[in-house]
Amino acid sequence: MIGSSATEPITVGLFVTCLVDLMRPTVGFATVKLLRDAGCKVSVPKAQTCCGQPAYNSGDNPDTRAIAEKVIEAFEGFDYVVAPSGSCAGMIKHHYPSLFANDPEMRPRAVALAGRTFELVSFLADVLKVENLEAAYDGIATYHDSCSSLREMGVKEQPRALLAQVKGMTLTEAPESETCCGFGGLFCVKYPDISGRMVDAKVDDIIATSADTLLSGDLGCLMNIAGRLHRRGSNIRVRHIAEVLAGMTNRPPLGEPVEKEKPRKEAG
Amino acid sequence: MESTTAAFRENTAKALGDAKLRDALSKLTDGFPASRREAIARLPEFDALRDAARDIKDHVLANLDFYLESFEARVVEAGGTVHWCRTAAEARTAILRTCKTAGAKTVTKGKSMIGEEIAINEHLEEHGIEPVETDLGEYIIQLRHEPPSHIIAPAIHLSKEQVADTFRDKHRHLSPGRSLDEPRALLDEARGELRRKFIGADVGLTGANMLIAETGSIVLVTNEGNADLTYSIPRVHIVIASLEKIVPTLEDATTILRVLARSATGQEMSVYTTFCTGPKRQDDLDGPDEFHVVLLDNGRTGMLGGEFHEMLRCIRCGACLNHCPVYKAIGGHAYGWVYSGPMGAVLIPGLIGLEEAGHLPNASTLCGKCEDVCPMRIPLPRMLRTWRRRQFERRQTSYPSRAGLRAWSLIARRPWLYRLGADIVVAVLAALGRARGRFRWLPLAGGWTQLRDLPAPEEGGTFISRYHLGEHGDGA
Ligand code: SF4
């Protein structure tokens, strides 16, 4: 492995993503735990904010570059950079290098960072080869393949293989697990009616599985789907996959209040 | 055709409220992808064929002048004529002139997206020539004066009941009591009507799925055989094709055919695949006396070597539409012009202007499914982003968006400011959302909360703050 001898632990810089930082810190803590349990030395640079995707997907490349430079600077010293999101990891891995295509100083640094950046679940499965997770979860879960995880980061079997190690959990597949949920960052607020139709189709597909829990590796999709599930009166529990893999499910599911929490007793 | 692309929001609202359209679209977007999947499962070398098809087109595009000139030379040798047209107007003029020289009153037509692009039907009608669409779907939408809603299934937005109503309305000479309940009855009726037109037409106008440089042939791919009757019966055959349709050899054409129908409908081959070369030869039993190819540029050469270069590989299979969740939600008419879906969102701004078509590249989640299924491996999401970048550079992005982005990026570049703001906002939202764990409504979040609840942030502060205070999470 890059930069690590047999005795020295792998160093990982955690890019926690702005959504996890702001909305769901438990995912960050779960990520730290999973990486530490697997023997990594984890650091969380304080200088991190956002990967720049909102600007990038709005065509604002100068601002994206300014943000990306900060990210590159903050994460240069680690063997690996890991994000609990296919979308933000994909941004660093695939789009940073092309952003700096004409910048001889930044381009090699962007390419080097891209080569060391991973989405959490695939990092656990493919690089750390995690087996025998300690976690348990009482429920029937279905997994939503986020578009960036699936198509940019090649994440498909890894979450299933890891979830198979979680005691007490049954995994059931939704036929349309690979179809976009309609989040799309700013898309969902710019074109709410199209996005609404898409998330409704996603919610129909999830409800039809009879699962009581929805998991995924990207918080943006999860907030979108949870929001629509709740609006439609469903009580399917929504969590980031890292929470379940790390056994950190004491906090209520996404969008549920603390008081209501009687863990693992809610019906699907 | 007049575009309604600028009214994208209104078009979308209308489409989303149309229950019949919703049924039709879900049939399409369930049916074609499933057949495609099965067809590909039966062909292990499919991905290798995609690479080969892409390489063929890349090679052609790098040597376009050479292949076009050799195509022309072969067409002329076979007794045909090539009309080089830079613009839609030039192509319309060339077609009209040829029709007039032939003394044409009726022109039968095979389905052609280039025909739609240059609005040839309207042009012919204005000059007293009747164009008759002979592809069933095109025939139906021609009767209804509608544009196609899908590049390979132009009337896919209609139910069979709507088609029956249209036929009753337009075929007044037939018995009003006839039954049109079965698709078969509709087909038979259209066939009866079209048969007379086929026989009586003076000119046949078709598109071409490919042009073959080594032989001067054109390739016609249909499931109805209508293009064959269109080119073989009338005295004059006009082919309208854009210049990127060229491939070097017959062998190359067959490679592309192997990915085309599989990607489009999941068929191994379309029902009719015809290679036409020049006018009727001495011993031929049928075929046209004259063979004209109208070669259209209409902006294509301007795309060569630029950021939309790869789009010229497109073989118009429709796979990107069939698999697009946005297309599935709104259908083809919402895009407001002749193309639709991801390929339309990339092509239309180039053809009618970014000002007019500004919504299209933005109305996408960039989910990547289109690129995933495109047989020619066209990076459609990257191109949608390119349009967004150009809009931003030309200040066509709306002011609130620009201001919002500016503010966000100013904060995102200053971690201390970001931390300060984040901690305050999160504390406030977490406190407000505590009781329900989510919001049904929040100021400035109307786009989100119109259809969704917004999960409240976790209590206790942001991750970065809590982590650096030594917390380990999960109440620990
Ligand atoms: S862009 Fe690709 S998938 Fe879409 S029509 Fe063209 S070739 Fe087919």
Side-chain angles (χ1 to χ4, degrees), chain B residues 151 311 314-320 343 370 373-376 378 380:
Chain B
I151 58 172
M311 198 59 215
C314 177
I315 54 174
R316 306 288 192 266
C317 72
C320 58
M343 57 82 77
C370 49
V373 297
C374 173
M376 306 307 285
I378 298 171
L380 295 151

Side-chain angles (χ1 to χ4, degrees), chain A residues 36-53:
Chain A
R36 290 209 173 125
D37 286 354
C40 301
K41 186 166 176 286
V42 181
S43 305
V44 182
K46 250 185 170 170
Q48 60 180 298
T49 59
C50 162
C51 67
Q53 240 182 123

Side-chain angles (χ1 to χ4, degrees), chain A residues 18 21 23 26 36 44 49 57 63 151 190-191 195 197 224 227-228 231 248 251 255 257 259, chain B residues 9 16 359 367 385 388 409 412-413 419 438 440 449 451-453 458 463-464 466-468 474:
Chain A
C18 54
D21 182 38
M23 304 300 290
T26 295
R36 290 209 173 125
V44 182
T49 59
N57 287 340
D63 278 325
R151 298 190 190 92
K190 279 192 189 161
Y191 298 96
S195 171
R197 177 63 57 85
N224 178 40
R228 188 61 189 157
R231 183 61 60 90
M248 284 197 179
R251 289 264 181 181
E259 283 84 351
Chain B
R9 283 197 192 279
L16 287 166
H359 277 295
C367 79
R385 278 201 186 88
R388 294 183 190 187
S409 85
R413 275 144 58 186
R419 292 259 65 82
R438 53 184 183 257
R440 285 187 71 86
T449 52
L451 290 160
R452 288 163 283 244
D453 289 358
E458 204 172 292
F463 171 76
I464 300 278
R466 283 162 65 186
Y467 178 87
H468 287 284
D474 215 18

